[in-house]
Amino acid sequence: MDFLRIKETPKLQGSVKISGAKNSALPILTATLLSKNPLHIYNLPNVADVNTLLKLLEILGASFERVGENHIHIETLGVRETKATYDIVRKMRASILVLGPLLARFGYCEVSLPGGCAIGARPVDLHIKAMEKMGAEVRIENGYIVAKAPKGLQGAKIIFDKITVTGTENVLMAAALAKGKTTIINAAKEPEVVQLCEILLSAGVQINGIGTSELEIIGSEGELLDMQDIRVIADRIEAGTYLCAGAITNSSITLHSVIPQHLQAITDKLEEIGFGFEVGEDSLTLLPAKKLQAFEIITAEYPAFPTDMQAQFMALAMVCEGVSSIEERLFENRFMHVSELQRLGANITLRGHIANVSGGAEIKGADVMATDLRASSALVLAGLIAKGETNIHRIYHLDRGYENLESKLRGLGVSVERLREEV
Ligand code: EPZ
């Protein structure tokens, strides 16, 4: 296995180009199962999760050509398989996103239960209940979701007890081919959900309420869709992570190919800490702070502060004056990075789902272990300010969601190398 060696880098400079959003690319790829025609997808991030899902789609019978590093041409008319097996789903739990499209298109599918991951149990009960509400018969057999809707799915009123991003996306895709109207109450409003709505709209699906928590979809009654070419939106979490790299070293850096309004909760929090911004059409320049103030965060659904940025801000809190408080409200176990940051010297106390971070402790390089995608990015940020060298192990977590990480960090002046563990 590889590990990353990062040397203390007190100041960053330069710019970084943000890639397409992993969490938009994933539902976009499964939505191609609804298409009657092949299509181009541009700005597709070349990261492990996207490539794993492409492999699953190929196993189901899809075919695609990689035209460029971030550009594919995909055709799913040849799909005949309807089983998403455990060996793939366990590697990438977002494979659950084939449930809606496969069920809507074929009236039958078997999808391995994703199981939990480091950050929590990650149940999919709301996805299953929604499919049943739309007329599917669903049972769990040997760890698989076995779903049947031989007469097709029926539009229904779906009220989500909890806001679920992939749950909303699964229902959107199922509703697109269902008979009649589906209303989703308490829908997720993340930019990635909005892009999926826009893609379905441009494919001829009638959708009202895009960007709100109440969506209304009129299904095509089983007709496959005329999907148009797609350009994946910029990754707001990757962008937020690089902003934190600039912030933790109190540097001025520029991000290109971003959508500033998707980053509002993140840039507002950084302004509260003491940073400024120059905002362009699709760029953001971070301006250094005179003093870094401690802050408070409570994670919540979009447009509030994103849980996917919680670990990165915990690293940043190590250099803010005073005690910062970070409350994680979405996942039950998203503090795996705390013990690793403490190994580097961070002064963090945990009370249930609240972490208090006292800034100013001396941070010294050490061997640390990545546990999940965003926790690993927090360790990279800590490595920038840790004295000496920091070795981050199990970086396959990072490779799931950060494209060309080393070269992007080097472009900002970071001394980083990817090495092989001695066996
Ligand atoms: C999406 O996960 C993202 N993944 C996650 O990003 C992100 O952290 C999360 O949304 C929250 O923003 C993708 O989009 C591929 P949820 P998702 O369903 O859809 C509970 C990353 O780092 N819940 O919105 O799986 C659930 O346990 C990843 O890129 C149920 O109880 O999250 C959680 O507490 C990590 N039953 C809450 O809802 C269900 O059926 C929100 O989960 C579904 C969810």
Side-chain angles (χ1 to χ4, degrees):
M1 277 202 272
D2 296 350
F3 68 96
L4 276 190
R5 171 160 295 159
I6 295 190
K7 285 204 176 70
E8 182 185 8
T9 312
K11 277 288 170 240
L12 301 189
Q13 72 280 327
S15 63
V16 59
K17 183 182 176 307
I18 298 304
S19 301
K22 163 180 85 80
N23 290 350
S24 199
L26 298 174
I28 285 172
L29 286 171
T30 58
T32 64
L33 291 164
L34 305 172
S35 181
K36 64 180 165 216
N37 45 279
L39 65 143
H40 291 271
I41 302 178
Y42 301 95
N43 202 32
L44 188 73
N46 184 10
V47 292
D49 273 7
V50 166
N51 295 329
T52 302
L53 189 55
L54 281 168
K55 204 182 293 155
L56 171 57
L57 291 175
E58 273 188 317
I59 291 168
L60 295 176
S63 56
F64 72 95
E65 182 205 343
R66 192 173 284 281
V67 182
E69 194 200 356
N70 303 114
H71 169 194
I72 65 164
H73 184 248
I74 185 166
E75 139 104 69
T76 62
L77 220 46
V79 168
R80 293 287 172 273
E81 271 302 312
T82 56
K83 182 169 186 175
T85 53
Y86 174 70
D87 58 321
I88 287 256
V89 176
R90 74 182 168 84
K91 267 189 243 151
M92 220 274 302
R93 59 180 319 285
S95 313
I96 189 70
L97 284 165
V98 298
L99 173 67
L102 286 178
L103 186 55
R105 176 168 163 182
F106 296 103
Y108 179 84
C109 66
E110 294 173 65
V111 180
S112 167
L113 274 168
C117 71
I119 64 178
R122 310 293 295 275
V124 289
D125 57 310
L126 301 178
H127 299 239
I128 293 169
K129 266 189 231 152
M131 296 301 124
E132 289 174 328
K133 201 79 191 295
M134 296 176 76
E137 183 208 309
V138 182
R139 59 180 199 285
I140 306 297
E141 233 169 60
N142 311 323
Y144 278 81
I145 301 165
V146 181
K148 293 179 185 155
K151 298 196 194 67
L153 292 172
Q154 185 63 42
K157 184 173 186 180
I158 310 289
I159 303 176
F160 276 126
D161 302 341
K162 274 186 174 181
I163 295 174
T164 161
V165 171
T166 49
T168 301
E169 290 163 346
N170 253 329
V171 173
L172 274 167
M173 293 185 282
L177 260 53
K179 289 184 199 78
K181 180 168 83 171
T182 297
T183 307
I184 306 175
I185 313 282
N186 206 21
K189 299 184 284 190
E190 274 67 5
E192 297 76 29
V193 175
V194 169
Q195 177 161 39
L196 180 62
C197 290
E198 287 165 350
I199 286 162
L200 295 173
L201 193 68
S202 66
V205 179
Q206 196 186 321
I207 302 185
N208 300 315
I210 295 178
T212 75
S213 57
E214 185 160 332
L215 296 169
E216 193 182 82
I217 306 102
I218 310 294
S220 69
E221 311 224 354
E223 274 298 302
L224 289 180
L225 307 178
D226 180 13
M227 284 183 73
Q228 309 302 307
D229 292 346
I230 296 165
R231 180 173 180 76
V232 180
I233 57 172
D235 192 319
R236 60 195 168 96
I237 304 302
E238 185 199 21
T241 304
Y242 283 106
L243 283 178
C244 285
I248 202 168
T249 54
N250 201 15
S251 315
S252 175
I253 60 168
T254 296
L255 274 54
H256 293 294
S257 307
V258 289
I259 304 173
Q261 70 263 27
H262 289 170
L263 287 150
Q264 202 66 55
I266 297 163
T267 50
D268 282 4
K269 196 53 72 178
L270 287 171
E271 280 174 344
E272 222 181 273
I273 294 170
F275 294 96
F277 289 93
E278 271 161 25
V279 185
E281 172 84 1
D282 66 349
S283 68
L284 259 182
T285 297
L286 179 75
L287 303 173
K290 290 188 184 51
K291 191 163 158 301
L292 280 70
Q293 300 283 1
F295 55 88
E296 292 214 346
I297 276 173
I298 298 175
T299 64
E301 295 82 3
Y302 191 87
F305 191 90
T307 174
D308 291 351
M309 284 300 305
Q310 178 256 105
Q312 298 91 316
F313 270 73
M314 194 177 293
L316 176 56
M318 297 191 301
V319 296
C320 294
E321 285 182 36
V323 181
S324 296
S325 149
I326 296 173
E327 183 174 352
E328 172 55 58
R329 284 212 174 150
L330 266 83
F331 291 110
E332 61 270 30
N333 188 30
R334 204 168 196 174
F335 281 151
M336 306 282 279
H337 40 285
V338 170
S339 49
E340 298 306 307
L341 292 174
Q342 287 168 331
R343 283 179 54 73
L344 297 171
N347 181 349
I348 305 173
T349 51
L350 281 184
R351 266 186 313 108
H353 287 184
I354 298 176
N356 289 318
V357 186
S358 302
E362 190 189 13
I363 306 300
K364 290 204 298 207
D367 282 88
V368 287
M369 191 175 76
T371 51
D372 62 271
L373 172 56
R374 305 307 173 182
S376 354
S377 67
L379 300 178
V380 172
L381 300 178
L384 299 178
I385 51 143
K387 298 257 170 300
E389 289 180 346
T390 299
N391 296 326
I392 302 170
H393 300 273
R394 300 196 180 177
I395 54 167
Y396 56 85
H397 291 289
L398 273 170
D399 296 337
R400 288 186 42 216
Y402 288 96
E403 185 180 46
N404 300 332
L405 178 72
E406 291 101 281
S407 58
K408 290 191 180 189
L409 286 171
R410 283 193 200 105
L412 291 169
V414 178
S415 160
V416 55
E417 44 184 341
R418 182 181 287 250
L419 302 165
R420 179 89 36 198
E421 311 270 9
E422 279 98 50
V423 276

